[in-house]
């Protein structure tokens, strides 16, 4: 990332934001499914792929990100735009299933 010009970095971050928002909107549309469903886990893999544009994430780091989403109140406002009041809990559960390898 540091080898990119400031303009290229800005474009990369904008694309990252758009991709992440698409994943979160898609996940919100699947809140009626189990967090362990194949459809939901495929979307979580997409979330991880977006993150891995910048670095490699192991299960422990993904777990920490999911926990931060739920524990840091600043994320609550951000995630409210994607789903109902249960979306953040659903997202957390879906990520936890993913890191534990529990797709069903």
């Amino acid at each position: 990332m540091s080898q990119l010009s400031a303009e290229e970095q800005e474009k990369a971050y904008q694309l990252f934001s758009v991709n992440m928002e698409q994943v979160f909107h898609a996940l919100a549309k699947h809140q009626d499914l189990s967090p362990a469903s194949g459809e939901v886990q495929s979307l979580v893999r997409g979330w991880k792929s977006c993150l891995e544009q910048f670095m490699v994430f192991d299960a422990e780091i993904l777990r920490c990100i999911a926990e931060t989403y739920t524990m840091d109140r600043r994320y609550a406002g951000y995630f409210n735009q994607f789903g109902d009041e249960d979306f953040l809990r659903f997202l957390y559960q879906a990520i936890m299933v993913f890191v534990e390898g529990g797709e069903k």
Side-chain angles (χ1 to χ4, degrees):
M1 215 37 198
S2 62
Q3 296 174 340
L4 298 176
S5 70
E7 184 178 325
E8 292 169 326
Q9 285 181 20
E10 181 61 30
K11 286 181 182 178
Y13 286 130
Q14 287 176 356
L15 183 59
F16 171 77
S17 292
V18 167
N19 290 339
M20 291 296 272
E21 287 179 8
Q22 288 174 343
V23 169
F24 294 140
H25 280 295
L27 280 163
K29 290 178 183 175
H30 290 81
Q31 273 185 265
D32 59 326
L33 300 177
S34 165
S37 71
E39 296 94 327
V40 171
Q41 289 303 298
S42 177
L43 291 167
V44 173
R45 277 191 297 281
W47 167 79
K48 181 182 182 234
S49 293
C50 288
L51 292 173
E52 287 188 329
Q53 294 173 16
F54 298 99
M55 66 181 277
V56 176
F57 291 86
D58 64 14
E60 187 59 31
I61 292 173
L62 296 175
R63 182 178 285 111
C64 289
I65 292 170
E67 289 173 0
T68 300
Y69 285 170
T70 60
M71 293 169 51
D72 187 331
R73 297 306 307 156
R74 293 174 290 184
Y75 286 103
Y78 174 74
F79 285 112
N80 283 345
Q81 69 181 307
F82 301 109
D84 63 22
E85 64 276 356
D86 294 325
F87 176 67
L88 192 48
R89 185 171 49 88
F90 173 78
L91 176 61
Y92 173 81
Q93 291 170 341
I95 295 169
M96 290 297 102
V97 168
F98 181 82
V99 300
E100 294 166 5
E103 180 180 329
K104 295 180 179 152

